[in-house]
Amino acid sequence: GLEDNLRSRLSSAEGNFLGDTELVENLEITKKTANEIEIQVAQAKETEVAINEAREFYRPCAARGSLLYFIMNDLNKINPLYQFSLKAFNVIFHNAMERAEPAEELKQRVENLIDSLTYSVFVYTTRGLFEADKIIFTSQMTFQILLARKEIDPVELDFLLRFPSVPNVVSPVDFLAHNSWGAIKSLSQMDEFRNLDRDIEGSAKRWKKFVESEIPEKEKFPQEWKNKTSLQKLCMMRALRPDRMTYAVSLFVEEKLGTKYVVTRAVPFEKSYEETSPETPVFFILSPGVDPLKDVEIMGNKLGITINNGKLHNVSLGQGQEIVAEKAMDIACKNGGWVILQNIHLVKKWLGKLEKKLENTVIDSDPLYRVYMSAEPASTAESHIIPQGILEASIKITNEPPTGIKANVHKALDQFSQDTLEMCARENEFKSLWFSLCYFHAVVCERRKFGPQGWNRLYPFNIGDLTISVNVLYNYLENNPKVPWTDLRYLFGEIMYGGHITDDWDRRLCKTYLEEYMKPEMLEGELLLAPGFNIPGSMDYQSYHVYLDEELPPETPYLYGLHPNAEIGFLTMTSENLFRTVLEMQPRDTAGGGAAGMTKEEKVKGLLDEILERLPEEFNMMEMAGRTEDRSPYTVVAFQECERMNMLTSEIRRSLKELDLGLKGELTISNEMESTMNSVFLDRVPGNWSARAYPSVLPLGAWFADLLLRIKELEGWTTDFALPNVVWLAGFFNPQSFLTAIEQSTARKNEWPLDRMVLSVDVTKKWKEDFNSPPREGSYVHGLFMEGARWDSQSGMIADSRLKELTPACPVMFVKACTVDRQETKNMYECPVYKTKERGPTFVWTFNLKTKEKPEKWAIAGVALLLSA
């Protein structure tokens, strides 16, 4: 402006322009202003330097915020319900800034800000996570914070998460399994752990004491190993006691971040309510048997928002309820009411409309308007239907049922009252059976936590099953002169609870529990529901709660009829899942993503070359067919297996060669190639390989070593098509076809009808190496492991497991066929055979095994044979 004014005056000035006083004054003002601006610019530069310096002090705080946001953002890999928006994160960030402790010193102030931010994000996020996923989030957060501070070595973290194990090694010490020894061998190849394997062998006694201690994560490591860093100790602990890793990681988090990050208490609903607003609804993630909406009603009563005064609208969604819900939202946003929308997962088509409605009703709404939604999580990521917009905008809250038998029996008893116990004329029988039903309900619900050894499949048993069963019990006792034991057990086991069950072995388990928990002896008070826990006599309602608190032994697998090893197995699976998930969540672009600073592509290329180099040629089917005229059932199986193997190896070769060209830049990387690359990088079997393979739970390295053994076994068999001395049953794609071939060849030889054939199994006292020839009929098979019990060679019977021996190997079994009338059934346990620990759909056959104890004991203990340990 000044310059323009000056220019126009100078150009319009005529003659002696010094006589133009206004022009001269204007020149003076311009000069003065220019000087002032120059001073201000200099000051601004100084201020900018000062601001930049001050800003640098706060940079760690911003870096921590960014780190935490991206960890939160990755949680949807665990469960698609875990969605968080940047907008919500900003609110947490600003609230954390305000809540941070003030401090005189800048350095301390920044530390306070970082601490407040980290803890606020932790509380906000864990409130909406399932219990099992909280440790995944906290450990990922801890590892990333320590990596950012350069306090841990990325190569050691990579080892802990990947846990490479040297395959096919034999443990020289009795207290470590073979795969644990493989991990120790792998660990010993790193500089920091050199000679660890020698030390364990040389000082076996001290290490045994350490490994077999009850809480090893709190004990000191032997010798100089106790001076290792916390992360190095975690690496060793994962090899020695994988079942204790969730506890060890919790201690690691506590040591690095503080106790408040491992003590998780449920956030009271009042606290969560403070963060809500018309545009921030609450989303309850439902668990079976929990009603979180009671909290909303209680809070509403305190604030004078109730159904009676028309301020609280409670809509349970289902067919035709969408219009009701929309009306309720329209009324509430005008009058400042609350809307509860229950089970929104039942109205898939309406969810898009709900998302828009939530956005629209916020405009000009009453400040007291609130929306509360609830939905069950989808069973798989593919079947997830809740829109991202709804999840990101909401405060997510999980409510989970109580854990442990005691809490679950209390909860079951809580559904009833003194009136329930007095309603039946036959009080003693009713009370006894009622308490037994409550215990049964707690056991079948909680048994889920033991994974496939608990139930082959997951079932939604709920409180409704129990209350309806108690009504049935009342009706049947009122209408029958004697207790109809068989009828009651059938109704509970096949209809009320059995109605959920889809697997035959699970149905047997449910029936067996009822046979053990409901029999005439219970009326005399002579029935143990669990070791050391007798069924209570007749008493009043409150006394049953007291009896439970005083008499029930501490929580162990024995309360379910399982062996303590079941807990070790369940904890090991939990820790494996923890590390697998955290590995998937690691940033992919870091140089530390692989060993010794290799990039992801370099690491994948190395593994890809190694696999292609070691992969044998395909079987020549034409040449094999020319070598044998014989078309016996066994030969047919051999041909089928070779064909399946060719399909698998050709796919491995094709996909890796294609990926190799992609990495060289000669082909565009497709989605399939990227998926193969990610799987190889994460030590996982790529999906297009496993689709053509056999069920397996092994990581890629161990899976490929196992594949080579299977090929070798087939090569040996197809050289001359003579049945191997001892057949490796687990080496087949389809073990059923081989077992059927035993029936077929025996039936042909003896001219018996095939539909009358069954298999009989004799467990020998020998191992694979002790056999020099195959049997005349049937086959010797090896490679079976027992879970839930062990085979005792001395007595030739099933016996209780030894502690920490989760899946002991069985000796060679002699499998032969006979007609159904010659089959031995006395003192036999019908033992299911599965391909892997995942059980369920991997079922192969039923082997009858000798037992001195009642077969029911083994059914409840979840005893099965597995084809891979």
Side-chain angles (χ1 to χ4, degrees), residues 149-178:
R149 286 193 205 148
K150 301 204 165 25
E151 285 181 28
I152 55 174
D153 181 349
V155 176
E156 287 174 2
L157 177 63
D158 192 61
F159 181 93
L160 175 70
L161 301 181
R162 286 176 187 281
F163 195 53
S165 177
V166 177
N168 306 325
V169 293
V170 176
S171 170
V173 289
D174 61 352
F175 54 89
L176 288 180
H178 300 318

Side-chain angles (χ1 to χ4, degrees), residues 69 72-77 79-88 124 279-283 285 344 348 350-356 358-359 373 375 381 383-396:
Y69 174 68
M72 282 169 71
N73 216 24
D74 261 354
L75 291 172
N76 59 16
K77 289 179 184 170
N79 190 321
L81 285 174
Y82 301 159
Q83 304 273 359
F84 300 91
S85 68
L86 189 57
K87 188 178 157 195
Y124 177 85
E279 52 272 359
T280 309
V282 175
F283 188 95
I285 302 171
I344 63 169
K348 183 180 178 178
W350 181 68
L351 292 177
K353 201 170 177 187
L354 170 64
E355 188 177 358
K356 288 193 181 75
L358 284 168
E359 287 172 20
M373 295 166 280
S383 55
H384 168 77
I385 54 166
I386 311 292
Q388 190 172 346
I390 293 180
L391 291 168
E392 285 189 347
S394 313
I395 289 171
K396 286 164 285 299

